[in-house]
Amino acid sequence: MSINIVTPNGKGGVGKTTSASSLAHGLALRNRRVLLVDFDPQGQCATALGINQEPGVFNALVNSHSDIHQWIRDTGRTGLDLLPGDRSTATAQIVINAENRTINSIRILFKQLGKEYDYIIFDTAPSVGGIQERAIYASDLVLIPTATEFLSMNGLAQMTEVLNSLRDQHSWPGKLAGILPTFYDEQTSESSKSLAELKANFGENVLSPIHRATILRECAAEGKTIFEMDPASRASREYEELSRIVVKLS
């Protein structure tokens, strides 16, 4: 069965999609079969991989009894597929909430793909409830990207509350894979203090940081991952290490 991983945060602009797409490709480069699922209405996973946005997630969620395979796209990278999303994903969230879908509805939907992929990675919108809560419940591992700045702490606190709530109220069996510090800049005191605070609060759950890098912004513009843009870069080594840690955890 596949290992399901989600990269949630209650705040946007923390490198969530970059981390999800980089991790997905990093795992694929380790000869794993990976499906990246874009639950964010901005549809940026497709953009990051250089393919068209489509209402795949909307169709899969709203038509939950149809064959999900028809919405999955080949990214042109060995071992890496994408279930793309676009603005219509926001409508799917409205439908899910209106129908009061059960907390395990997304877990049930993707269970049919469990034997086809080693990893299914969910990228979610920076909002709590609806799709994000169900995506977390469907996941075995939660990886929380968090920018090393003071304002990001609120989003992290929000996520830890959601995880605790899912454990207490719904007996969620998953676990925290780690807190991933992003946009780390060792030359600024804010980054250093934020990283120190993360380590003080979360200890060994804090992973090695992803440094701020212009090349990561350029990746999205080119529709390439960091492993394609500059495999010798520090950012590439850092995301390769993240994929190694995830394999070890799973």
Side-chain angles (χ1 to χ4, degrees):
M1 294 296 291
S2 64
I3 300 296
N4 296 347
I5 304 172
V6 66
T7 58
N9 198 305
K11 183 181 183 301
V14 298
K16 193 167 47 58
T17 298
T18 296
S19 296
S21 56
S22 298
L23 174 60
H25 195 199
L27 290 170
L29 290 171
R30 287 177 169 267
N31 298 317
R32 268 60 175 192
R33 299 164 302 164
V34 184
L35 174 65
L36 179 59
V37 181
D38 194 352
F39 282 133
D40 191 331
Q42 294 185 61
Q44 291 184 347
C45 285
T47 303
L49 296 175
I51 63 179
N52 294 329
Q53 294 186 8
E54 294 182 51
V57 163
F58 170 85
N59 290 324
L61 291 176
V62 173
N63 305 297
S64 57
H65 297 296
S66 62
D67 183 1
I68 196 172
H69 294 87
Q70 63 187 304
W71 317 119
I72 294 174
R73 300 291 177 258
D74 183 351
T75 67
R77 298 162 177 86
T78 301
L80 178 56
D81 292 337
L82 173 70
L83 180 58
D86 61 10
R87 292 179 182 178
S88 66
T89 304
T91 303
Q93 173 147 299
I94 294 172
V95 171
I96 284 174
N97 289 333
E99 294 180 350
N100 197 25
R101 300 258 186 106
T102 59
I103 192 68
N104 66 341
S105 57
I106 287 179
R107 177 186 288 273
I108 292 171
L109 176 62
F110 285 91
K111 187 176 181 179
Q112 61 185 295
L113 300 175
K115 293 182 179 180
E116 299 176 39
Y117 295 98
D118 297 306
Y119 294 94
I120 299 178
I121 299 177
F122 302 127
D123 185 26
T124 63
S127 60
V128 175
I131 290 175
Q132 180 167 255
E133 188 177 24
R134 289 167 176 82
I136 293 173
Y137 188 81
S139 298
D140 304 290
L141 299 174
V142 176
L143 176 70
I144 308 178
T146 305
T148 47
E149 57 186 37
F150 297 124
L151 293 178
S152 290
M153 297 302 170
N154 288 336
L156 177 56
Q158 203 172 32
M159 281 300 99
T160 56
E161 288 178 9
V162 171
L163 298 188
N164 290 333
S165 175
L166 288 173
R167 284 196 188 97
D168 295 342
Q169 298 180 25
H170 301 286
S171 300
W172 173 58
K175 66 179 181 179
L176 178 66
I179 310 295
L180 180 66
T182 57
F183 299 109
Y184 181 66
D185 186 346
E186 56 223 343
Q187 296 183 347
T188 68
S189 60
E190 183 180 27
S191 271
S192 298
K193 290 178 181 178
S194 295
L195 184 59
E197 184 177 348
L198 285 174
K199 290 181 177 178
N201 290 324
F202 296 96
E204 294 181 354
N205 285 320
V206 180
L207 304 175
S208 298
I210 305 296
H211 285 73
R212 185 182 298 276
T214 302
I215 188 70
L216 289 172
R217 291 199 303 271
E218 294 173 349
C219 284
E222 295 292 329
K224 297 180 179 179
T225 71
I226 187 60
F227 303 111
E228 296 164 325
M229 281 287 285
D230 191 351
S233 66
R234 177 169 64 179
S236 180
R237 294 195 301 272
E238 289 171 345
Y239 276 115
E240 198 281 330
E241 172 64 11
L242 176 63
S243 67
R244 185 194 67 80
I245 290 172
V246 166
V247 169
K248 184 179 179 180
L249 285 173
S250 54

